């Protein structure tokens, strides 16, 4: 009890240090708890499915690129030919689907085409419906939450979902909502064999890759050998002995964290590297707070030395001193942990919105308390060990005689210097990291687009028998609007992958050469509306169907310095096109990957409108555009998106990382500067008498300020020298994940160091100024 009273008294007397420690530690502990909950959430995906380790997705691997999609027509030939793959299911996952439900248009997110096998393999808990609710081609099942939204006052069983206003699915079952930690969380599951009526080409063609295959492999199966057998069978199925694509099995529980490199994957994924980065940043923030704690303990130990000297004279031993230090530190850490719990609970909703997660805060969560225990032990033992070491070297008589100043100043500065430089080093690394990330995003979202994205919107043109007439009619009406500066169309607007390949054959050196490329049909206004830059040649006219434009990547693959006039023949329709122009690559997909070779030519069936709006009242213009759509096509929903938002959607994970890293970096800098502020107070207080003597002897205020700030400037400079190679290595590794990288200019590192120096000087300048302008008589009376 005596030690507890003494600890409380000491903490209250050292109010500045106590407040700094409590604020810094509470914030850092809250960050650690949030990250711990986030890590738990990320690694919990598919834990509800006891088959997740053996239920594997079949991936294509071609030219080092992984894709999870296959032709529907290849599923049964593969599963019938390879015994280990007999237990499988087809899955076609769609981000959103248009339905007409009881004469009302609905766009439902997260729909799926599959079969009854999906329900058992993915552990879907059926609440209503028969044993095989997806047995019929026109059958569908929906989630409980979707049933409540669509049919709040009646049962969903037997009701009709009219898919894209052209095919009726009958609801045969209702299932429990899939856990939030599932990679696939469908709200509607439709029988995939309805594709035979809906999309016959997609259902029967070996050229159309649109569907994922999952197989429950035997526990003792060698996945590599099974994949090799499947690849050999694919040569027979595709009737191509030279088929070089390899297969790989990916366990279901790996999809969420280990699929960041896969194309044509519509499920929301995270990345193990992002999780590891957050763990690292949380650890750095915690270290900064611990360094603050130890630093201030060293700086404020004069009075503790005096108390320790008295205790030793009264017969206290190591056990007694350790007990006192343990109680004092535990009291402080306990207070910080309680505050951190409140901060974590308060910040979690915003954190969930930022990271698009669904983490729940519960005091019954064992991971939460395990994290608290580990943090508490670490934060107690480290400071107590440092303080105990210092206190055991206290000479009792010298401590009492000199009011606690028994430890040489040089040692005191050495500890403070090393820990403070470590803090500033971490802060500079984080600042440089944030600047480097922002510079890369400037390249991705502004400089490496290949077109002008300002005031550009896309409108979906549904694929049905009216696609051509609708395009022509709606385009004419849009062009009449004064707020619209141009209208064009294509298949895949910016932000969406080009998904229709072809082979181009041409003559070179007397031989026929074949080149793989992607189709990007358009109309004659495409290049003007998009404002692309031509590298060679020019555009085709609105009636010149025999001309084509290629992008820069396609030109490089052609290996022709000037391909203007070159004639290429498409294997899709056998048509020959004359190349009339070469443009910069248009960013259709994420720049994590290299550009896609693309060819642009006239085509009447275009699935997307691209509209350039004039600057002004965008909301009013969009409303007018929607009004025209409803006049022309009342039976189809109006779906508009802004091109800049579609582009950003390709970097959702990186943008979230950028935002969270920026917040954590600012927090780390704040905690670091808190410690620097507290340390500056103690250092300046120790030099109060020296300052008074210097002023009496004629020292100017500027000289006093330079003397007091010199040490902090040196610390920042040393920290900068250490931080530059560390941050350079980290940013370089991160940039390796992009095919197009920003240059790491020298000013990025200089700006990081200058920012840290400025913040440090601002932090300590108030105390330095007060000390420099203080009456020297008061300073000489200080001691």
């Amino acid at each position: 009890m005596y030690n507890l009273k003494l600890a409380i008294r000491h903490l209250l007397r050292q109010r500045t240090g106590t407040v700094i420690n409590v604020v810094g530690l509470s914030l850092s502990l809250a960050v650690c708890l949030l990250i711990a909950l986030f890590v738990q959430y990320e690694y919990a995906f598919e834990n509800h499915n006891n088959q997740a380790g053996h239920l594997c997705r079949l991936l294509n691997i071609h030219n080092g690129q992984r894709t999870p999609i296959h032709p529907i027509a290849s599923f049964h030939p593969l599963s019938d030919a390879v015994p280990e793959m007999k237990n499988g299911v087809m899955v076609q996952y769609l981000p959103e689907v248009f339905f007409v439900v009881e004469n009302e248009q609905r766009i439902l997110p997260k729909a799926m085409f599959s079969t009854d096998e999906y329900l058992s393999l993915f552990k879907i808990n059926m609440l209503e419906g028969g044993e095989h609710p997806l047995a019929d081609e026109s059958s569908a099942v929906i989630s409980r939450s979707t049933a409540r939204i669509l049919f709040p006052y009646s049962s969903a069983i037997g009701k009709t979902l009219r898919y894209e206003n052209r095919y009726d699915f009958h609801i045969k079952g209702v299932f429990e909502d899939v856990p939030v930690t599932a990679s696939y969380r469908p709200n509607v599951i439709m029988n995939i064999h309805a594709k035979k009526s809906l999309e016959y080409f997609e259902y029967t063609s070996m050229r159309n890759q649109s569907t994922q295959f999952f197989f429950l492999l035997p526990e003792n199966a060698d996945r590599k050998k099974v994949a090799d057998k499947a690849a050999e069978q694919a040569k027979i199925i595709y009737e191509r002995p030279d088929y070089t694509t390899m297969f790989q099995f990916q366990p279901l529980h790996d999809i969420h964290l280990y699929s960041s490199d896969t194309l044509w994957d519509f499920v929301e994924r995270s990345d193990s590297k992002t999780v590891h980065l957050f763990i690292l940043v949380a650890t750095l923030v915690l270290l900064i707070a611990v360094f603050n704690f130890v630093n201030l303990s060293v700086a404020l130990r004069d009075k503790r030395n005096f108390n320790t000297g008295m205790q030793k004279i009264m017969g206290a031993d190591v056990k007694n001193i350790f007990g006192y230090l343990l109680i004092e530190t535990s009291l402080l850490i306990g207070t910080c942990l309680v505050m951190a719990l409140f901060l974590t609970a308060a910040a979690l909703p915003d954190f969930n919105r930022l990271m698009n997660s669904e983490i729940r805060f519960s005091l019954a969560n064992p991971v939460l308390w395990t994290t608290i225990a580990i943090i508490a032990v670490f934060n107690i033992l480290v400071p107590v060990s440092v303080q105990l070491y210092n206190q055991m070297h206290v000479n009792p008589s010298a401590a009492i005689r000199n009011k606690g100043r028994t430890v040489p100043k040089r040692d005191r500065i050495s500890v403070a210097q090393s820990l403070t430089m470590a803090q500033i080093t971490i802060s500079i690394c984080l600042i440089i990291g944030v600047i480097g990330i922002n510079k890369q995003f400037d390249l991705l979202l502004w400089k490496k687009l290949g077109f002008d994205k300002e005031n550009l919107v896309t409108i979906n043109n549904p694929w049905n028998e009216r696609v051509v007439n609708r395009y022509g009619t709606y385009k004419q009406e849009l062009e009449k609007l004064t707020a619209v500066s141009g209208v064009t169309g294509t298949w895949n607007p910016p932000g969406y992958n080009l998904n229709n390949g072809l082979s181009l054959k041409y003559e070179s050196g007397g031989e026929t050469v074949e080149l793989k490329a992607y189709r990007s049909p358009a109309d004659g206004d495409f290049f003007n509306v998009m404002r692309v830059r031509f590298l060679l040649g020019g555009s085709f006219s609105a009636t010149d169907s025999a001309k084509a434009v290629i992008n820069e990547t396609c030109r490089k693959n052609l290996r022709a310095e000037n391909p203007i006039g070159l004639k290429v023949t498409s294997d899709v329709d056998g048509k020959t096109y004359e190349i009339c122009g070469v443009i910069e690559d248009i960013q259709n997909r994420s720049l994590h990957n290299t550009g896609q070779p693309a060819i642009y030519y006239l085509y009447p069936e275009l699935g997307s409108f691209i509209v350039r709006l004039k600057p002004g009242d965008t909301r009013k213009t969009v409303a007018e555009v929607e009004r025209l759509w409803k006049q022309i096509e009342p039976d189809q929903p109006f779906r508009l998106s802004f091109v800049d938002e579609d582009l950003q959607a390709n970097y959702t994970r990186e943008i979230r990382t950028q935002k969270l890293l920026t917040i954590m970096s600012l927090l780390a800098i704040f905690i670091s500067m808190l410690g620097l502020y507290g340390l500056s107070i103690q250092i300046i207080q120790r030099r109060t008498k020296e300052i008074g003597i210097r002023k009496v002897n004629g020292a100017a205020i500027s000289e006093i300020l330079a003397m007091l700030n010199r040490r902090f400037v040196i610390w920042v400079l040393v920290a900068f020298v250490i931080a530059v190679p560390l941050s350079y290595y980290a940013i370089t590794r991160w940039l390796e994940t992009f095919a197009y990288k920003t240059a790491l200019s020298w000013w990025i590192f200089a700006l990081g160091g200058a920012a840290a120096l400025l913040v440090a000087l601002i932090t300590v300048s108030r105390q330095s100024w007060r000390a420099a302008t203080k009456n020297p008589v008061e300073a000489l009376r200080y001691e």
Side-chain angles (χ1 to χ4, degrees), residues 59-62 224 227-228 231-232 243-248:
L59 298 177
N60 291 307
I61 305 178
H62 184 69
K224 178 67 169 60
D228 290 343
E232 288 298 316
Y243 188 73
T244 58
T245 298
M246 302 301 294
F247 289 147
Q248 181 185 71

Side-chain angles (χ1 to χ4, degrees), residues 345-561:
L348 193 55
D350 291 324
F351 183 85
N352 279 331
R353 280 191 291 272
L354 175 63
M355 300 306 297
N356 195 33
S357 56
E358 298 184 40
I359 305 169
R360 296 183 176 88
F361 182 84
S362 172
L363 291 177
N365 187 343
V367 171
L368 183 69
W369 290 106
T370 300
T371 305
I372 288 174
I374 293 173
I375 290 175
V377 170
F378 177 76
N379 280 274
I380 290 173
L381 289 183
V382 172
V384 167
S385 299
V386 174
Q387 293 179 76
L388 182 63
Y389 174 82
N390 290 331
Q391 296 306 297
M392 294 315 299
H393 288 77
V394 170
N395 185 304
S397 59
I400 295 173
R401 182 174 61 251
N402 297 320
K403 298 181 181 180
R405 289 186 174 86
T406 60
V407 180
K409 188 176 181 181
R410 182 179 303 171
D411 293 339
R412 199 158 58 236
I413 295 174
S414 174
V415 174
Q417 181 175 342
S418 59
L419 295 180
T420 302
M421 284 193 299
Q423 287 178 302
I424 299 174
T425 300
I426 294 172
S427 299
I428 294 175
C429 286
L430 292 173
I431 294 172
I432 293 174
V434 170
I435 296 172
I437 289 174
N438 286 327
K439 192 168 184 288
Q440 174 68 6
F441 275 100
D442 184 54
L443 172 74
L444 300 180
L445 300 177
W446 291 96
K447 296 179 180 177
K448 196 64 180 175
L449 296 179
F451 66 98
D452 181 2
K453 71 173 183 176
E454 286 303 301
N455 301 310
L456 210 59
V457 299
T458 63
I459 301 170
N460 181 58
N461 187 24
W463 289 100
N464 56 29
E465 68 281 355
R466 282 181 42 80
V467 63
V468 176
N469 290 335
R470 185 192 304 115
Y471 181 82
T473 303
Y474 190 51
K475 178 179 178 179
Q476 287 179 358
E477 294 300 318
L478 286 174
E479 289 175 337
K480 294 177 183 178
L481 297 178
T482 57
V484 172
S485 65
V487 183
T488 186
T490 186
W491 280 1
N492 305 97
Y496 296 89
N497 287 343
L498 301 178
N499 63 339
N500 290 276
L502 81 169
S503 292
L504 298 175
K505 294 183 179 179
Y506 61 97
E507 297 295 325
S508 178
E511 296 182 358
T512 300
V513 182
E514 186 173 347
L515 171 69
K516 300 293 184 181
Y518 288 89
R519 292 183 282 167
S520 188
D523 68 9
D525 298 320
F526 180 80
F527 304 104
N528 287 331
V529 173
M530 294 292 289
R531 298 176 184 172
V532 301
R533 187 169 76 91
F534 274 85
L535 304 177
L536 295 170
S539 175
F540 44 73
S541 68
T543 58
D544 202 346
S545 60
K547 297 288 183 69
V549 171
I550 61 175
N551 66 358
E552 187 176 7
T553 298
C554 189
R555 181 191 66 79
K556 291 177 180 177
N557 291 353
L558 282 173
R559 297 176 184 174
E561 199 63 35

